[in-house]
Amino acid sequence: VQPVVSLPQRKTRMYEVFARLRANAGAYIPAARYLELAQKESLVSAIDNLLLLRCLQILRDRRDDVADMPYVLNITSATLADTGFMNDLVMFLAEYRRLASRLVFEMPLADVENASDSLIAVLDGLSQL
């Protein structure tokens, strides 16, 4: 979780959530270095799902002065296409509406423009929450 700040005050405006792999104590591999292999091995959706679940845990547990800050995370077309997971997400956020307004997905416009009808329905459900 990385704060995004406005300058020159350095005031936190939101948080960006991103995945990186722990190589060993204190050393991490950024997504740019493992993404191609993850795509080849069909692991991107699993990584997205874990990242989103962790983000939801953080949002649920956060109780301090920045508890209302938005959290932005990139979501891939592989995750968007997982209608079972996305429908579960809508149901979860319907139960925890406080979290829904703080979760912001970053995705390519082409993924939205080429979305199936079932995905459009899920995105509509998310936007209403």
Side-chain angles (χ1 to χ4, degrees):
V1 176
Q2 177 72 39
V4 177
V5 300
S6 62
L7 297 176
Q9 304 88 354
R10 298 189 51 81
K11 182 174 179 171
T12 300
R13 298 295 179 185
M14 67 185 77
Y15 291 93
E16 183 174 8
V17 181
F18 55 92
R20 59 185 184 176
L21 300 176
R22 184 177 299 145
N24 55 36
Y28 294 93
I29 302 169
R33 295 210 32 224
Y34 68 78
L35 191 56
E36 185 178 333
L37 178 60
Q39 289 170 332
K40 188 185 323 179
E41 298 295 327
S42 301
L43 295 172
V44 174
S45 185
I47 293 168
D48 277 357
N49 292 352
L50 289 171
L51 184 63
L52 178 55
L53 292 174
R54 180 64 183 128
C55 181
L56 291 170
Q57 287 175 334
I58 292 168
L59 285 169
R60 182 193 64 210
D61 297 341
R62 199 88 194 234
R63 304 263 188 251
D64 57 14
D65 61 334
V66 295
D68 291 329
M69 290 281 176
Y71 283 66
V72 178
L73 75 139
N74 190 298
I75 192 164
T76 64
S77 57
T79 299
L80 291 171
D82 186 347
T83 54
F85 179 80
M86 294 303 290
N87 284 323
D88 289 346
L89 176 62
V90 171
M91 290 188 332
F92 176 83
L93 291 174
E95 187 174 334
Y96 295 94
R97 286 186 176 265
R98 176 181 68 85
L99 306 181
S101 64
R102 297 172 47 214
L103 185 62
V104 179
F105 289 135
E106 177 183 1
M107 63 188 85
L109 179 60
D111 288 352
V112 176
E113 291 175 337
N114 298 320
S116 66
D117 290 341
S118 60
L119 176 57
I120 294 298
V122 169
L123 293 176
D124 285 342
L126 287 172
S127 69
Q128 291 175 21
L129 294 171

